Amino acid sequence: MTITFEGASDDVVIVDRGAGDVEEYDAYNGATFQLRTDRERMQIGLTLETLSGCWHPSVGQVDETAPLPAWPVRFEQSTDRDYSVRLVVDAPNDAELVEIDA
């Protein structure tokens, strides 16, 4: 399953899980998500850098006991917003998206 994350305006994060499954999250102070399967977890963060007005996505471990999954991840320029980099994660089909903070 391919999931994309990108910032919009100065207070919204858009998550697209494909097949028309698009959600917007209030993210005035940024947003944090986890992608989870039964065995692996990945943390996703999006913050708005106030000087440039550009969104900065990040990927990391959930904690020190959970290694970063080897799921393909890439960054690309948003085709809709000049101020946002899109994060694309190719996660397993059973991955669950969990909103941690938005």
Side-chain angles (χ1 to χ4, degrees):
M1 150 176 52
T2 299
I3 304 172
T4 64
F5 300 83
E6 70 179 281
S9 184
D10 65 350
D11 62 353
V12 174
V13 166
I14 298 171
V15 178
D16 185 344
R17 294 182 232 191
D21 186 3
V22 179
E23 291 186 63
E24 292 187 2
Y25 294 86
D26 179 25
Y28 184 76
N29 293 313
T32 304
F33 302 91
Q34 287 183 5
L35 288 173
R36 300 176 180 172
T37 67
D38 287 341
R39 295 173 291 143
E40 298 177 292
R41 298 177 293 164
M42 176 183 285
Q43 188 137 317
I44 310 291
L46 290 101
T47 57
L48 181 67
E49 201 284 313
T50 55
L51 293 176
S52 68
C54 295
W55 283 91
H56 294 244
S58 63
V59 174
Q61 293 175 248
V62 172
D63 64 47
E64 63 186 41
T65 65
L68 185 67
W71 306 335
V73 173
R74 67 185 181 278
F75 297 92
E76 53 190 45
Q77 182 63 51
S78 171
T79 55
D80 302 316
R81 296 163 192 87
D82 293 340
Y83 53 82
S84 190
V85 172
R86 179 179 295 143
L87 170 64
V88 182
V89 180
D90 292 323
N93 288 334
D94 64 339
E96 175 189 12
L97 177 69
V98 177
E99 178 186 356
I100 303 301
D101 184 31

